[in-house]
Amino acid sequence: VRSRLIVRCADRPGIVAAIANHLFWRGANIISSAQHSGEQFFLRMEFEHEGDASEGFDQVARQFDMDVRFARADVPKRMAILVSREEHCLLDLLWRARTGELFADVGLVLSNHEDARRDAEAFDVPFVHVANGRDIREHAENEMLEHLRGFDVVVLARYMQILTGGFLERLGVPVINIHHSFLPAFAGAGPYERAHARGVKIIGATAHYVTEELDEGPIIEQDVGRVTHADEVEALKRTGRDIERAVLARAVRWHLEDRIVVDGTRTVVF
Amino acid sequence: VRSRLIVRCADRPGIVAAIANHLFWRGANIISSAQHSGEQFFLRMEFEHEGDASEGFDQVARQFDMDVRFARADVPKRMAILVSREEHCLLDLLWRARTGELFADVGLVLSNHEDARRDAEAFDVPFVHVANGRDIREHAENEMLEHLRGFDVVVLARYMQILTGGFLERLGVPVINIHHSFLPAFAGAGPYERAHARGVKIIGATAHYVTEELDEGPIIEQDVGRVTHADEVEALKRTGRDIERAVLARAVRWHLEDRIVVDGTRTVVF
Amino acid sequence: VRSRLIVRCADRPGIVAAIANHLFWRGANIISSAQHSGEQFFLRMEFEHEGDASEGFDQVARQFDMDVRFARADVPKRMAILVSREEHCLLDLLWRARTGELFADVGLVLSNHEDARRDAEAFDVPFVHVANGRDIREHAENEMLEHLRGFDVVVLARYMQILTGGFLERLGVPVINIHHSFLPAFAGAGPYERAHARGVKIIGATAHYVTEELDEGPIIEQDVGRVTHADEVEALKRTGRDIERAVLARAVRWHLEDRIVVDGTRTVVF
Amino acid sequence: VRSRLIVRCADRPGIVAAIANHLFWRGANIISSAQHSGEQFFLRMEFEHEGDASEGFDQVARQFDMDVRFARADVPKRMAILVSREEHCLLDLLWRARTGELFADVGLVLSNHEDARRDAEAFDVPFVHVANGRDIREHAENEMLEHLRGFDVVVLARYMQILTGGFLERLGVPVINIHHSFLPAFAGAGPYERAHARGVKIIGATAHYVTEELDEGPIIEQDVGRVTHADEVEALKRTGRDIERAVLARAVRWHLEDRIVVDGTRTVVF
C-alpha cells in the first residue's frame, strides 16, 4: 500500500522525529518527504506500508496540535469536469487521464452547452447537459449538485458560469478553476481583450481553488507566454489556450497527488 | 553611412513601393525592413547610403500623410541614468554600454543618494547627487533639468522618486522606467510584498515609457520568473533583480536601435 | 484573394522596390512583409489582390535571378499525418486543425499500428494501416506512396520508422518530423534514456524537415522544459510529450503559413 | 549556530527517523529538509542548534553506512575566481557577492590576461596574473596552485585554459565551470559558431563540476535562450552571455548553500 501524509501545525523542534518514528514503528518506508517552515510548519510524506499507517497517529497529532490528512496514493480520485464551449482544456484533461498521466477516475463531463458531448463520449466519459445562467442559477445548481454527488474533486475546464458560495458549500469538495489571465492582472471578464488594450508583452493563465469571491481563490499554478504588437485578440486567445491547458493540467495533477496545501490566500505546493 | 527610417501613417496600397523607390533612387541599400499593419501602418527600415537619405522624402511623406523619423544608426545616443539605492540595473547598463552591447554615450549618472557614486566612477561616468523628495520636488526637478540638458534619452534604473508631468514636458526626451512588477498587476509601491501576500507563482518586471500617470505608460518589454511558496519577500526581490535588469537592458537597447514606435497606450517593437 | 510571395536571391539594391512596384501595379495591398539579409536575401510578403498577382513577375525574377514562389493564403494545404503508437502529437494536430488554428485539410492518418485508428475516426479523418519495418521497407514505402499521392505536406507525428531517401524523393513534398530531443544533442534512438543518464537539467524537442540523413534536416523549431534529479526516464517522457506536441504544432503552422524558407542546413522562419 | 547535514547511503527504512532523532536529541530545530530516493538515498537538512551537532552522529552513520557531511551555514566559503578575457561572468559574481546574494568570501581573481584587473580591484578583490598556455601548462599550474591554497571552491568564470587532471587532484577542492553551450550539444571549442552553422533555434549554457574529461563533468545547472535565423554568431554570443552569467551564478549559489550532491555523472540539487 502506498499512502501520503499531509501535516500542518505550529513549528517547533521534534515534529519530524515524531512523525518519522511513528512511520518507522508502523513499518513504513518513506519514499519522499518535503517540508516547509513559514509562519507554520507543513509536511508531505509519501511512504509504502502494510495495514493502516494512521493507527495510533492521533497521539502524535494531539501532541503537536496538528492538522493531519492521510490519503491513499494507489486509489484514483473521482473527478468531474465542468465545461462550457471551449474544449481545449477538457480534451487535454481527458487525454491525460486516458494515458494515466492524471491518476483519476473521470466519471462525468457536465456542461451548460451541448458542444462537448461528442468529445466526452469519444473518451467513454458520461456527459450531462445542465442549462445555467443568471436567471436559473438556483435551479441549475440544485441539478448540478445531484450529478456531482460522490466526486472527490471538480475541475472547471473553462466553465463560464459563476458558482455561488452556497453551491460550493453544499458541494463540499475542492473546485479547481482555470482563469485566462495572469492573476491578479485582468481578473473578471474579457482578460484577453483587456490585455490587448493595455499592450502587455506577455499573457498568462492561472489555476486556483474556487472560493466565493471571483478569481480571488488561492493560486495553485500560473504560466505565461510571449505576445507581440502584431498579435490581435484572436492571436492572444490562441496562445492563451496552450497556456491554459498546460497550467490546468499541472494544477490538477498536483491536486491528485496531494501536493497542495492551502495556507490562507496562498498555497504550498510540494 | 547607416540610417534608419521610421514611418507611421494610415494604411493604403503603395506605401512600401513609394518608400523603396525613394531609397533606391537615393542609392540606399536596404539592410532590414519590418512593417506592421494594425489600425495604422508602421514601418522601420535600416539602410546604408551616402549623403542625405531624407532629401526629397517630404514629398512622399506628404502624399501619404506620414509621421516620419530619420535616425542615424552609426551615431550613439546620449544617455543619462537616474538611480536611487538599488544598483543592479545601473551596473548592468554601465557594463553593457562598456562592452558595446548598448550603443550609447552614457554621459551622466544622477542619484538622490550617494551609493552609486563609486560604481559610476569605476566606469568613468560622471556622477551627480541631487536630493529629491516630496517636499523639495520643484527645486529638485529644476536642478535635474539643468544636468539633463542635451541628452537624447533618460533611463530610470530603479529611481524611486516621482517625476511630475511638468518635468517630463520640460525634459522633452523619452524617459524609460523599469517597474518591479508584471504590470498591470501590482502597479504602485511594494509590488514584491503584495505579490507575496497574494501568493502568485510567477513574478515579473516591466519596462515602459514614463508618462504623467504612474506605471501607466506604454509597455516596451516584460519578463517573468518562477517563485514558490518557499520564497519569502527577500527571495522575490532577489529573483526580481535579475528580471528587472534583463528587461530594462532589452528595452534600452531597442530604444537605442530605434525599434520602438509608441502607438497610444501600446508600443510597436520591431 | 490573399496570396503570399516568397523570394530568395543574391542581395543587391533595388529588390524591395522592384517587388513592391510590381505588386502595386497589380493592384495588390501588402498586408505584411518581412525580409532577411544574410549571405542571401530572403523575403516573404502577404497581400490582398484580385486576379493573378504573379502575372508578369517573371521579368522581375529574371532581373534579380530570384527563386520565387507564389502561394494562396486562402486555400488550405492538404496534409497527411504519419504516426506509430504515441498519439499525443496526432491528437494535438487533429484538434488544432478542427478549431481552425491549423489551416489545413487533414485527409489521412497513416500508421504502422492500429492504435490511432479510433482517434482519427473520432475526428472524421480517414485512417489506413500500413505495416512497416526493416524487412518490409520497400513494400511498405510503395504502399505508403499510393496513399500519400496528392498531399502537399506530410507530418511525422512520432512515426518511428525510417523513411529512405528514395521514398522522400518519390514523395516529392516536404516532410516535417518531430524528434524527441534538443538536437544536435541525443540524435538517434532513446534520447530520453540518454538525457537521463547524462544528468541534463533541461530536455527538449526539435521539429525539422526530413532529409535522407537521420535527424540532420534543417531545424524549424525547438523548445525545452526543465527537469530535475528526481525525474526518472518516465517523467522525462511525460514532460517531453508536452514539448513535442507544442513544437510540432508551431512548425506545422509556420509551414502551412509559408513562413519557412530552407537555407541549406538552416531555416529562415518569418 | 546554523548548520547543514548532507547524507548519502543505501535506502532502507528508518533513516529519516534516526537522523531526526539525533538532531532532536542534540537540541536542533530543523529549518528545512529535502530528500531524494533514487538508486541511493540522499538527504539535506538545515537546522539551528547550539554546540556541535555532529557529536555522536558517527554511530548513526555507521549503522546506515552513510557518507556524511556537516557544513556551517553561517560561515562564508572562501572562493577564488579564474577568468580569461570575457568579464561578464566575473562582474556578475563580484556584484552578487557584494550584495550578499552569494554568501562567499571572494579572496582572489586569477587570470591569464590583464583585462580583469581593473574590475577586480574596483570590487576590492586581489588580482593576480598567471600566464598560461599549452607550452607552459606545468609551470602555470604550479604557480596557480600556490595562489589557490586555502580556498574552498574555485569558479571558472570563462577561463579558457585547460586544467589537467593532475592540477585538479592537487587542488583538492571542487571546481565549477561555465560552458557556453547546452551540453552535451557543442562540447569543446567554438560552440556558438557551431550552433549557428547547425541552425539551432535555442542556445544554452551549462554549469558543471570540472573533471579530467573536458565538458564531461556532472551538470549542475543549464538554461537556454531563443535565437532566430537573423542572429549572426555575434548575436548568439550576446544572448549567450546573459545565459552564461545567470546559469553560473545559480550553480555557484547552490554550491555555496551545500545544495549539490554529486551522484556519479549526475547531480542531486536540493
Side-chain angles (χ1 to χ4, degrees):
Chain A
V1 182
R2 187 180 273 232
S3 289
R4 297 171 190 134
L5 168 62
I6 317 296
V7 164
R8 172 195 179 129
C9 60
D11 197 3
R12 66 182 229 229
I15 304 173
V16 177
I19 295 172
N21 286 336
H22 170 85
L23 290 176
F24 183 57
W25 169 72
R26 297 294 307 163
N29 189 25
I30 299 172
I31 305 296
S32 77
S33 169
Q35 67 174 75
H36 169 62
S37 304
E39 288 174 39
Q40 293 222 282
F41 174 87
F42 298 86
L43 176 142
R44 175 189 184 271
M45 279 188 179
E46 188 161 333
F47 47 90
E48 279 176 339
H49 63 106
E50 311 213 333
D52 180 1
S54 70
E55 198 183 310
F57 195 76
D58 46 348
Q59 202 178 324
V60 178
R62 227 175 298 118
Q63 184 192 347
F64 291 93
D65 197 18
M66 290 174 176
D67 283 350
V68 175
R69 187 157 55 87
F70 281 89
R72 285 287 294 271
D74 46 8
V75 176
K77 290 186 173 44
R78 287 157 302 170
M79 183 165 108
I81 305 175
L82 272 56
V83 63
S84 289
R85 308 198 76 153
E86 298 245 37
E87 294 170 60
H88 53 287
C89 289
L90 170 67
L91 201 61
D92 197 66
L93 293 174
L94 291 174
W95 168 71
R96 289 184 201 270
R98 187 176 73 183
T99 64
E101 186 179 310
L102 295 179
F103 186 56
D105 176 6
V106 183
L108 181 68
V109 172
L110 185 158
S111 178
N112 57 332
H113 293 276
E114 281 289 340
D115 307 52
R117 180 184 294 276
R118 199 186 157 183
D119 278 339
E121 292 178 356
F123 281 86
D124 295 325
V125 175
F127 175 92
V128 299
H129 172 265
V130 178
N132 199 347
R134 194 173 298 180
D135 303 333
I136 55 170
R137 189 79 71 214
E138 192 181 337
H139 180 79
E141 293 195 338
N142 283 334
E143 193 180 340
M144 287 162 72
L145 284 168
E146 290 298 314
H147 291 294
L148 295 173
R149 210 168 272 170
F151 284 97
D152 297 315
V153 57
V154 173
V155 178
L156 309 186
R158 298 299 308 270
Y159 184 68
M160 308 309 281
Q161 295 292 323
I162 285 175
L163 302 180
T164 67
F167 173 86
L168 294 171
E169 199 174 320
R170 288 160 72 199
L171 183 62
V173 299
V175 178
I176 298 173
N177 183 44
I178 181 72
H179 182 73
H180 41 314
S181 86
F182 186 82
L183 291 175
F186 309 120
Y192 292 125
E193 286 78 3
R194 288 149 66 205
H196 184 265
R198 181 62 186 92
V200 297
K201 300 301 186 185
I202 286 177
I203 58 171
T206 305
H208 62 93
Y209 286 115
V210 177
T211 59
E212 200 170 345
E213 289 176 70
L214 190 65
D215 301 331
E216 291 291 330
I219 293 171
I220 302 169
E221 170 64 339
Q222 304 187 286
D223 213 337
V224 298
R226 204 161 262 283
V227 295
T228 79
H229 61 267
D231 289 311
E232 296 302 319
V233 172
E234 277 312 305
L236 266 57
K237 288 182 179 173
R238 188 185 65 210
T239 298
R241 281 196 296 263
D242 283 4
I243 308 168
E244 292 164 28
R245 65 181 191 171
V247 167
L248 182 59
R250 286 202 292 272
V252 169
R253 181 155 62 85
W254 296 341
H255 179 86
L256 295 173
E257 294 174 359
D258 301 298
R259 297 187 175 281
I260 314 172
V261 191
V262 172
D263 178 20
T265 60
R266 299 164 46 86
T267 59
V268 173
V269 179
F270 286 121
Chain B
V1 182
R2 188 182 273 232
S3 290
R4 295 172 191 134
L5 168 62
I6 317 295
V7 166
R8 173 195 179 129
C9 60
D11 196 4
R12 67 181 226 230
I15 304 173
V16 176
I19 295 172
N21 285 337
H22 171 85
L23 290 176
F24 182 57
W25 169 73
R26 297 293 306 161
N29 189 25
I30 300 172
I31 304 297
S32 76
S33 169
Q35 67 174 75
H36 170 61
S37 305
E39 288 173 37
Q40 293 221 283
F41 174 89
F42 299 85
L43 176 143
R44 175 189 186 270
M45 278 187 179
E46 188 159 334
F47 47 91
E48 281 177 337
H49 64 105
E50 312 214 332
D52 182 359
S54 69
E55 199 184 309
F57 195 76
D58 46 349
Q59 200 178 325
V60 177
R62 230 175 298 119
Q63 184 191 346
F64 290 93
D65 197 19
M66 289 174 175
D67 283 352
V68 174
R69 187 156 55 87
F70 280 89
R72 284 287 291 272
D74 46 9
V75 176
K77 291 186 171 45
R78 288 156 301 170
M79 184 164 107
I81 304 176
L82 273 58
V83 65
S84 289
R85 309 198 76 151
E86 297 245 40
E87 295 170 60
H88 53 286
C89 289
L90 170 68
L91 200 61
D92 195 68
L93 292 174
L94 291 174
W95 167 72
R96 290 184 201 268
R98 186 176 75 182
T99 63
E101 186 180 312
L102 294 179
F103 186 57
D105 176 7
V106 183
L108 181 68
V109 171
L110 186 156
S111 179
N112 57 330
H113 294 276
E114 281 289 342
D115 308 53
R117 180 184 295 276
R118 196 184 160 185
D119 278 338
E121 292 178 356
F123 281 88
D124 294 326
V125 175
F127 175 92
V128 300
H129 173 262
V130 179
N132 198 347
R134 195 172 299 182
D135 302 334
I136 56 170
R137 189 80 70 212
E138 192 181 337
H139 180 78
E141 292 195 339
N142 283 333
E143 191 178 343
M144 287 162 71
L145 282 168
E146 288 299 314
H147 291 293
L148 294 173
R149 210 169 273 171
F151 285 97
D152 298 314
V153 58
V154 173
V155 178
L156 310 186
R158 299 297 311 268
Y159 184 69
M160 307 310 281
Q161 294 291 323
I162 284 174
L163 302 179
T164 66
F167 173 86
L168 294 171
E169 199 175 322
R170 288 161 71 199
L171 182 63
V173 299
V175 178
I176 298 173
N177 182 46
I178 181 72
H179 182 73
H180 42 317
S181 85
F182 185 81
L183 290 175
F186 309 121
Y192 291 125
E193 286 78 3
R194 288 149 65 207
H196 183 265
R198 180 61 184 93
V200 297
K201 300 301 184 185
I202 286 177
I203 59 171
T206 304
H208 62 93
Y209 286 115
V210 176
T211 59
E212 200 168 347
E213 289 176 70
L214 189 67
D215 300 332
E216 291 290 329
I219 293 171
I220 301 169
E221 171 63 339
Q222 306 187 285
D223 214 339
V224 298
R226 205 161 261 283
V227 295
T228 78
H229 61 267
D231 290 310
E232 295 301 319
V233 172
E234 277 314 304
L236 266 55
K237 288 182 178 173
R238 188 186 65 209
T239 297
R241 283 196 295 264
D242 283 5
I243 307 170
E244 292 164 27
R245 65 179 191 174
V247 166
L248 182 59
R250 285 201 293 270
V252 169
R253 181 157 60 83
W254 296 340
H255 179 87
L256 295 173
E257 294 174 0
D258 301 299
R259 295 186 177 280
I260 314 173
V261 191
V262 172
D263 177 21
T265 59
R266 299 163 46 86
T267 59
V268 173
V269 180
F270 284 121
Chain C
V1 181
R2 187 180 272 232
S3 290
R4 295 169 190 135
L5 169 61
I6 317 297
V7 165
R8 173 197 180 129
C9 58
D11 197 2
R12 65 181 229 229
I15 304 173
V16 177
I19 295 172
N21 285 336
H22 170 85
L23 290 177
F24 182 56
W25 170 73
R26 297 293 307 160
N29 189 26
I30 299 171
I31 304 297
S32 77
S33 170
Q35 67 174 76
H36 169 61
S37 304
E39 290 174 38
Q40 293 222 282
F41 175 89
F42 298 85
L43 176 141
R44 177 190 184 269
M45 279 189 179
E46 188 160 332
F47 47 91
E48 279 176 339
H49 64 104
E50 312 214 331
D52 181 0
S54 69
E55 198 184 309
F57 194 77
D58 46 348
Q59 202 179 325
V60 177
R62 229 175 297 119
Q63 186 192 346
F64 291 93
D65 197 18
M66 290 173 175
D67 282 351
V68 175
R69 188 156 54 87
F70 280 89
R72 285 285 293 272
D74 46 7
V75 176
K77 291 185 173 46
R78 289 156 300 169
M79 182 164 109
I81 305 175
L82 272 56
V83 64
S84 290
R85 309 198 75 151
E86 297 245 37
E87 295 170 59
H88 52 287
C89 290
L90 170 67
L91 201 60
D92 197 66
L93 293 174
L94 291 174
W95 168 71
R96 288 185 201 269
R98 187 177 75 184
T99 64
E101 186 180 311
L102 294 179
F103 186 58
D105 175 7
V106 183
L108 182 68
V109 172
L110 186 157
S111 178
N112 56 331
H113 293 275
E114 281 289 341
D115 308 53
R117 181 184 293 277
R118 198 186 158 183
D119 277 339
E121 291 178 356
F123 280 88
D124 295 326
V125 176
F127 176 92
V128 299
H129 172 264
V130 179
N132 199 347
R134 193 172 300 182
D135 302 333
I136 54 169
R137 190 78 73 214
E138 191 181 338
H139 180 78
E141 293 195 337
N142 283 333
E143 191 179 342
M144 287 163 72
L145 283 168
E146 288 300 313
H147 291 294
L148 295 173
R149 209 167 272 171
F151 285 97
D152 298 315
V153 57
V154 173
V155 178
L156 309 186
R158 298 300 308 271
Y159 183 70
M160 308 310 280
Q161 294 292 324
I162 284 176
L163 301 180
T164 65
F167 173 85
L168 294 171
E169 198 175 320
R170 287 159 72 199
L171 183 63
V173 299
V175 178
I176 298 172
N177 182 47
I178 180 73
H179 182 73
H180 41 315
S181 86
F182 184 83
L183 291 175
F186 310 121
Y192 291 125
E193 285 78 2
R194 288 149 65 206
H196 184 265
R198 180 64 186 91
V200 297
K201 300 301 186 184
I202 286 178
I203 58 169
T206 304
H208 63 92
Y209 285 116
V210 177
T211 59
E212 200 169 347
E213 289 176 68
L214 190 66
D215 300 332
E216 290 291 329
I219 293 172
I220 302 169
E221 171 64 339
Q222 304 187 286
D223 213 338
V224 298
R226 206 161 259 285
V227 296
T228 79
H229 61 268
D231 290 309
E232 296 301 321
V233 172
E234 277 313 303
L236 266 57
K237 288 183 179 174
R238 188 185 65 211
T239 297
R241 281 196 296 263
D242 283 6
I243 307 169
E244 292 165 27
R245 65 180 190 172
V247 167
L248 181 59
R250 286 202 291 271
V252 169
R253 180 156 63 83
W254 296 340
H255 179 86
L256 295 173
E257 295 174 0
D258 302 299
R259 296 185 175 280
I260 314 172
V261 192
V262 172
D263 179 20
T265 59
R266 300 165 45 86
T267 59
V268 174
V269 179
F270 285 121
Chain D
V1 181
R2 186 182 274 233
S3 291
R4 296 173 190 131
L5 168 61
I6 317 295
V7 165
R8 172 196 179 128
C9 60
D11 196 4
R12 67 184 229 228
I15 304 172
V16 177
I19 295 172
N21 285 336
H22 170 85
L23 291 176
F24 182 57
W25 168 73
R26 297 294 306 162
N29 189 24
I30 300 171
I31 304 296
S32 75
S33 170
Q35 67 174 75
H36 168 62
S37 304
E39 289 174 37
Q40 292 221 285
F41 175 88
F42 298 86
L43 177 142
R44 175 189 185 270
M45 278 187 178
E46 188 160 333
F47 47 91
E48 280 176 339
H49 63 105
E50 313 214 331
D52 180 359
S54 68
E55 198 183 310
F57 195 78
D58 45 348
Q59 200 178 327
V60 177
R62 228 175 300 119
Q63 184 191 349
F64 291 92
D65 196 18
M66 289 174 176
D67 282 352
V68 175
R69 187 156 55 87
F70 280 89
R72 283 288 292 270
D74 46 8
V75 176
K77 291 186 172 46
R78 290 156 300 171
M79 183 164 108
I81 304 176
L82 273 57
V83 64
S84 290
R85 309 198 76 151
E86 298 245 38
E87 294 171 59
H88 53 285
C89 289
L90 170 67
L91 200 61
D92 195 68
L93 292 174
L94 291 174
W95 167 72
R96 289 184 201 267
R98 187 176 75 183
T99 64
E101 185 180 311
L102 293 180
F103 186 58
D105 176 6
V106 182
L108 181 69
V109 172
L110 186 158
S111 180
N112 56 330
H113 294 274
E114 280 290 342
D115 308 53
R117 181 184 293 277
R118 197 184 161 187
D119 278 339
E121 292 178 356
F123 281 87
D124 295 326
V125 175
F127 175 93
V128 300
H129 172 263
V130 178
N132 199 347
R134 196 172 298 182
D135 302 333
I136 55 170
R137 190 80 72 214
E138 191 180 340
H139 180 79
E141 293 195 339
N142 283 334
E143 192 179 342
M144 287 162 71
L145 283 168
E146 289 299 313
H147 291 292
L148 294 174
R149 210 168 271 171
F151 285 97
D152 298 315
V153 58
V154 173
V155 178
L156 309 187
R158 299 299 309 268
Y159 184 70
M160 308 310 281
Q161 295 291 324
I162 285 175
L163 302 180
T164 66
F167 173 87
L168 294 171
E169 199 174 321
R170 287 159 71 200
L171 182 62
V173 299
V175 179
I176 298 173
N177 182 47
I178 181 73
H179 182 73
H180 41 317
S181 85
F182 184 83
L183 290 175
F186 310 120
Y192 291 125
E193 286 77 3
R194 287 150 64 205
H196 184 265
R198 180 61 185 92
V200 298
K201 301 300 185 186
I202 286 178
I203 58 171
T206 305
H208 62 94
Y209 286 116
V210 177
T211 59
E212 199 169 346
E213 289 176 69
L214 189 68
D215 301 332
E216 291 291 328
I219 293 171
I220 301 169
E221 170 65 337
Q222 305 186 285
D223 213 339
V224 298
R226 205 161 261 283
V227 297
T228 78
H229 61 268
D231 290 310
E232 295 301 319
V233 172
E234 277 313 305
L236 265 56
K237 287 182 178 173
R238 188 186 66 211
T239 298
R241 283 196 295 264
D242 283 6
I243 308 170
E244 291 164 27
R245 65 180 190 172
V247 166
L248 182 58
R250 285 202 292 272
V252 169
R253 180 157 61 83
W254 296 341
H255 179 87
L256 295 172
E257 293 173 1
D258 301 301
R259 295 186 177 280
I260 313 174
V261 190
V262 172
D263 178 22
T265 60
R266 301 164 45 87
T267 59
V268 173
V269 180
F270 284 121

